[in-house]
Amino acid sequence: MIDEVEITIASHPRWLRMARSLVEIFCREYQGDAATVRAIVLAVDESLANVMKHAYGGNQSRPIRVICRCDGSEVTIEICDDGREFNPFAQAVPPPDEMRLGGRGIFLISSVMDECEYLREDGWNRIRLIKRLPLSLAVS
Amino acid sequence: MEINIKNADTNAVVEVSGDVDMSNSPRLREALLKVMRDGHGSMVVVSLEQVEYVDSSGIASLVEGLQEARKRKVSFRLAGLNDGPRHVLELTRLIDVFDVYPSQAEALQA
């Protein structure tokens, strides 16, 4: 069985909290592990912030779709926008440096998720973040 | 996010509560820089006991505060990290860059 939930938010930072809440509630349906839920929420928040800053360039009224899906063995989050083409995972990710003020978001996303994919389809950026469930928690 | 600044003769405490993300991290940055500019004592304690979530923009605000403190030779301390903020600092390998204390009281006493 595949469960799926989708919301569309405006590209305004004030909606980040709502998106985090949705993802947290969805993941808690499948995950008892607080650290894993926290990691997924962090990756989604950082991805949304990247869309707002880079794909939409600060335009705060564009749509961002957030789709949460679980097939029992892994949680997949898709984040879709119709802003300018922007592949966050094509950027070089320098190692953390205490003196740098920005640029840690993509490093964090890559660090906490099992798979991160980017697709450009029909004028939409699609980011797919995958976190596999621990075997003891996987559901059929 | 709420920010409450308590100034004393020898230190300043910046109490933060709520999530810190892209929507409000510039306010945290401004608060930290203002405390430093106003020059209250030789120590700034950022109390994060009421913060469950910090994203990379919040981390950048803390790093900027740390950098400003170093310029001014002010001791910059983080207190009361919950699991979420601690995890992000660990992932970004900044946990050892900051002076971290279990609580605001311990940060002020150390």
Side-chain angles (χ1 to χ4, degrees):
Chain A
M1 186 180 78
I2 296 178
D3 287 339
E4 188 172 299
V5 173
E6 175 176 343
I7 60 166
T8 300
I9 62 170
S11 54
H12 192 294
R14 72 168 179 251
W15 297 111
L16 287 169
R17 190 174 179 187
M18 174 182 278
R20 288 198 302 272
S21 296
L22 171 82
V23 171
E24 180 174 354
I25 291 167
F26 183 85
C27 291
R28 286 198 186 285
E29 287 290 313
Y30 305 98
Q31 274 285 356
D33 176 359
T36 303
V37 174
R38 199 163 52 234
I40 297 170
V41 169
L42 176 65
V44 171
D45 179 273
E46 295 289 350
S47 298
L48 290 170
N50 272 329
V51 169
M52 292 172 185
K53 278 187 287 189
H54 301 296
Y56 285 137
N59 185 331
Q60 299 181 333
S61 57
R62 303 294 302 156
I64 308 177
R65 295 169 59 206
V66 181
I67 305 156
C68 307
R69 189 179 299 126
C70 184
D71 69 356
S73 63
E74 61 189 29
V75 171
T76 301
I77 312 290
E78 280 192 25
I79 294 164
C80 309
D81 68 84
D82 65 351
R84 74 175 178 86
E85 185 169 356
F86 176 71
N87 178 359
F89 308 117
Q91 318 299 311
V93 181
D97 172 355
E98 70 168 280
M99 299 309 290
R100 198 178 64 240
L101 294 179
R104 293 185 177 85
I106 295 165
F107 174 83
L108 287 170
I109 297 165
S110 302
S111 297
V112 300
M113 299 305 287
D114 292 312
E115 292 181 38
C116 306
E117 300 172 347
Y118 168 83
L119 293 169
R120 179 77 177 177
E121 289 179 342
D122 301 325
W124 285 74
N125 297 308
R126 292 179 181 272
I127 294 164
R128 187 174 295 140
L129 307 173
I130 297 175
K131 189 76 172 176
R132 282 184 274 281
L133 301 180
L135 288 177
S136 61
L137 294 170
V139 294
S140 58
Chain B
M1 179 190 68
E2 299 294 328
I3 300 174
N4 181 31
I5 298 173
K6 297 193 291 193
N7 290 310
D9 290 341
T10 58
N11 61 59
V13 176
V14 180
E15 290 181 337
V16 187
S17 59
D19 290 0
V20 183
D21 65 16
M22 181 186 169
S23 72
N24 53 32
S25 58
R27 280 202 292 126
L28 175 60
R29 171 186 176 276
E30 280 306 310
L32 295 176
L33 296 182
K34 182 175 187 309
V35 163
M36 233 77 73
R37 280 197 304 267
D38 291 350
H40 290 278
S42 58
M43 182 197 303
V44 172
V45 175
V46 183
S47 177
L48 298 170
E49 291 169 22
Q50 301 300 317
V51 175
E52 297 292 338
Y53 182 82
V54 175
D55 75 354
S56 63
S57 71
I59 296 297
S61 295
L62 294 175
V63 168
E64 196 161 356
L66 174 64
Q67 290 177 352
E68 187 67 20
R70 284 178 173 172
K71 276 189 217 164
R72 295 172 183 267
K73 302 196 185 318
V74 168
S75 176
F76 188 85
R77 303 176 176 189
L78 304 184
L81 290 180
N82 288 304
D83 288 347
R86 177 177 291 279
H87 185 228
V88 176
L89 285 171
E90 287 171 349
L91 285 168
T92 52
R93 299 173 203 167
L94 290 168
I95 191 76
D96 295 325
V97 172
F98 288 97
D99 287 333
V100 177
Y101 293 84
S103 68
Q104 183 184 140
E106 287 167 274
L108 287 168
Q109 286 166 8

